[in-house]
Amino acid sequence: MTKLTEMFAENTNETATTNNRSLAGTAQLTSLANSIVAEVMKKADADAENYQEKIVASQTDNNAMDELIRELYDLSSTDVEFLKALDEEVQNSMLKSQQSKRSRSKSKTMTLENYRSLMSGAVAELLLRQAMGKPKSSLGYRRASGSIEYTAEELENFKNDQEALRREIRNVQSKKSIMKSKADFNEENERWIKLLEVEDQLKSLRVGGTRVKTVVVDTTKEKLLEELGDKEVDSLKSADMKELLKKLLSGAEEPTEEPTEI
């Protein structure tokens, strides 16, 4: 049976840094976010095996984390009036602070404690956006939603953002690894087949990958040596040289083109 703790690294000596110059409302927001994190983690732990794929994805992808939180907790029911009461400048500063918190957490070893901190920053950001009326763009790559299909717009975005494309390919490969590690893995599984198709689809969007160049091969030297046999060039008479040239010219072919990967 899969346990939530198995999805994270062991605790290290890393300690979180705190900023004593907290903005108004930050302490209340942090407390609220932490209480929501506790609820989300409790639900995820109760069904850890089914949520494993989404939890792993959420450790490195903000969209995946946001979707996981929304799936396990109804944020719209949360009272955010205290955030609405803050002026816009403070709200924006708090939003940037939570985004920085998420970035710092992702850069550290992903222990369970650090994951809670990462999720807390995500919850806080979502609550702030809710209070500010600034929802995230609806365009997301839906990693955590379980969907393994992409819209034409998403595919075009991947094509134009090769780094995002590489991350998405790694994400699909991670899903494949998780599926393959399960005891009941079956290559005939519909989802497995779909993952293979999606991986190929994404890889086809790569720009500047393996290319093929044409190498022109001139075989004149080989033919000349073949005609000479054991004869020395210096020993050839003028008539012999002319005859040799005639043979080479009469049997001349276009240079051979050979494809070579670079």
Side-chain angles (χ1 to χ4, degrees), residues 138-185:
S138 59
L139 176 61
Y141 300 140
R142 304 194 309 274
R143 287 186 177 181
S145 66
S147 172
I148 47 176
E149 294 183 355
Y150 306 97
T151 65
E153 185 179 7
E154 287 172 334
L155 291 173
E156 184 64 24
N157 283 333
F158 281 136
K159 186 176 180 180
N160 295 328
D161 187 346
Q162 291 292 298
E163 182 57 36
L165 175 62
R166 282 190 286 273
R167 289 197 301 270
E168 191 65 14
I169 290 173
R170 288 197 297 269
N171 176 62
V172 171
Q173 291 170 338
S174 175
K175 290 179 179 179
K176 286 172 58 185
S177 296
I178 291 171
M179 279 197 71
K180 206 167 185 178
S181 67
K182 294 183 178 180
D184 60 349
F185 171 70

Side-chain angles (χ1 to χ4, degrees), residues 201-225:
Q201 182 183 34
L202 292 172
K203 285 182 176 179
S204 71
L205 300 176
R206 286 172 169 170
V207 176
T210 300
R211 294 173 295 159
V212 174
K213 73 174 182 179
T214 300
V215 178
V216 178
V217 181
D218 190 346
T219 59
T220 304
K221 181 179 179 181
E222 285 76 9
K223 290 180 179 179
L224 179 59
L225 292 173

Side-chain angles (χ1 to χ4, degrees), residues 2 40-41 62-63 77 96 107 119 140-141 165-166 169 186 192 210 213 219-220 229-230 233 249:
T2 304
V40 172
M41 296 293 282
N62 286 347
N63 290 319
S77 64
K96 290 179 181 178
S107 68
M119 185 178 287
Y141 300 140
L165 175 62
R166 282 190 286 273
I169 290 173
N186 184 349
W192 173 259
T210 300
K213 73 174 182 179
T219 59
T220 304
D230 296 332
V233 175
L249 291 173

